Amino acid sequence: MIKVVIIDDEPKAIEGLKWELENFCPEVEVVNSFTDPRKGLLYFEEEQDVDCVFLDIEMPQMDGFRFLDQLPERNFAVIITTAYDQYGINAIKERALDYLLKPIDSDDLMEACNKVKEFQKEHSIKDRFEETLMTVMSKSSSGNNRIGINIDGKIVFLKPDDILYCEGDGNYTSIYLTDGEKLFITQTLKKLSEKLSDIEFFRVHNSFIINLSKVKEYLKTDSYIIMEDGKHIPVSRNRKAEFLNKF
């Protein structure tokens, strides 16, 4: 089944699209729908098991393109739904798989769903390849673990010891290295923390993950860590005891 989310500020438009999908695209399951795109964003913060989003462009709370800007790291197809033909070019620029003009024609809808199927196949192959590559490359000849990071269409393999700390900012994260280099990735700090959880890293704050072996000092009165490069990083009150237990 193709799992679909619909985001449109008009309840009638959502019900109409659901009806068409049920009647013309039986392989599609609508798992959720939102009239407020901001609630849609909250949903995607927790849920990524979605194959496609049907996204309206003209919405008063947040237009569709602004919605996509908030989700730079997405592994689902996007199909734009709009009553205005001029949005087609922008839809392509935003890497939408297709766009449908309202009122949505059933033949166009079925064609769009077929494109989603092809998208699923391509990404399944790509994901399996990347998984295999990550597994093979995660160990160097000396047996030291390495971490694969997706950056600008490539995978960079980093030694944990080369990472000082990571700083998150919404859907983006900056990785600071011991040689002074800074890597900028379109991935949340939460996602990155999953890769770093089994090694000597700890999330001391909502915005920071640190390499515990690179801590130079801890200022008890101010609850600040000083890293080897001199960076002052705050320790959250609810993580303070667990952090101290690491030493």
Side-chain angles (χ1 to χ4, degrees), residues 34-223:
F34 301 93
T35 54
D36 186 340
R38 294 168 298 189
K39 291 183 179 178
L41 284 176
L42 293 175
Y43 174 79
F44 279 108
E45 282 182 9
E46 301 298 327
E47 180 61 58
Q48 279 290 315
D49 188 19
V50 173
D51 301 307
C52 179
V53 174
F54 285 86
L55 178 65
D56 185 28
I57 287 299
E58 285 286 313
M59 294 181 285
Q61 305 95 334
M62 175 189 292
D63 70 42
F65 296 128
R66 279 183 58 212
F67 176 87
L68 291 177
D69 285 341
Q70 300 301 309
L71 292 171
E73 183 196 342
R74 58 181 188 265
N75 55 8
F76 50 81
V78 176
I79 295 176
I80 298 295
T81 59
T82 176
Y84 306 98
D85 193 29
Q86 69 265 27
Y87 286 118
I89 301 251
N90 281 335
I92 293 167
K93 285 180 180 177
E94 290 294 329
R95 291 182 295 155
L97 188 66
D98 205 350
Y99 79 101
L100 300 171
L101 286 174
K102 296 178 181 179
I104 296 172
D105 178 79
S106 57
D107 288 335
D108 290 341
L109 180 60
M110 287 188 286
E111 186 179 338
C113 288
N114 285 330
K115 288 182 181 180
V116 176
K117 289 180 191 175
E118 291 303 313
F119 177 88
Q120 280 182 304
K121 287 178 188 175
E122 290 171 11
H123 278 253
S124 176
I125 293 168
K126 180 188 170 195
D127 290 344
R128 286 202 301 270
F129 172 76
E130 286 194 4
E131 249 179 63
T132 303
L133 184 63
M134 291 278 197
T135 302
V136 171
M137 294 294 290
S138 64
K139 292 240 180 222
S140 68
S141 57
S142 62
N144 295 320
N145 288 332
R146 286 185 288 173
I147 303 156
I149 307 289
N150 284 293
I151 303 174
D152 295 332
K154 62 186 177 183
I155 302 174
V156 176
F157 292 92
L158 300 173
K159 295 176 183 177
D161 200 50
D162 290 338
I163 301 172
L164 276 171
Y165 58 90
C166 309
E167 182 176 6
D169 182 11
N171 289 303
Y172 304 94
T173 300
S174 296
I175 302 173
Y176 293 83
L177 305 181
T178 53
D179 63 2
E181 187 179 359
K182 173 183 170 184
L183 303 177
F184 184 74
I185 63 173
T186 54
Q187 189 174 80
T188 63
L189 196 66
K190 180 182 177 182
K191 284 284 183 184
L192 184 59
S193 69
E194 293 168 6
K195 292 185 179 182
L196 301 174
S197 60
D198 295 331
I199 44 184
E200 287 297 300
F201 286 83
F202 183 69
R203 190 167 183 177
V204 294
H205 187 275
N206 283 340
S207 300
F208 289 97
I209 296 172
I210 64 163
N211 186 335
L212 293 167
S213 68
K214 304 297 180 184
V215 175
K216 185 179 177 182
E217 295 178 35
Y218 173 60
L219 306 178
K220 292 190 290 185
T221 53
D222 300 319
S223 282

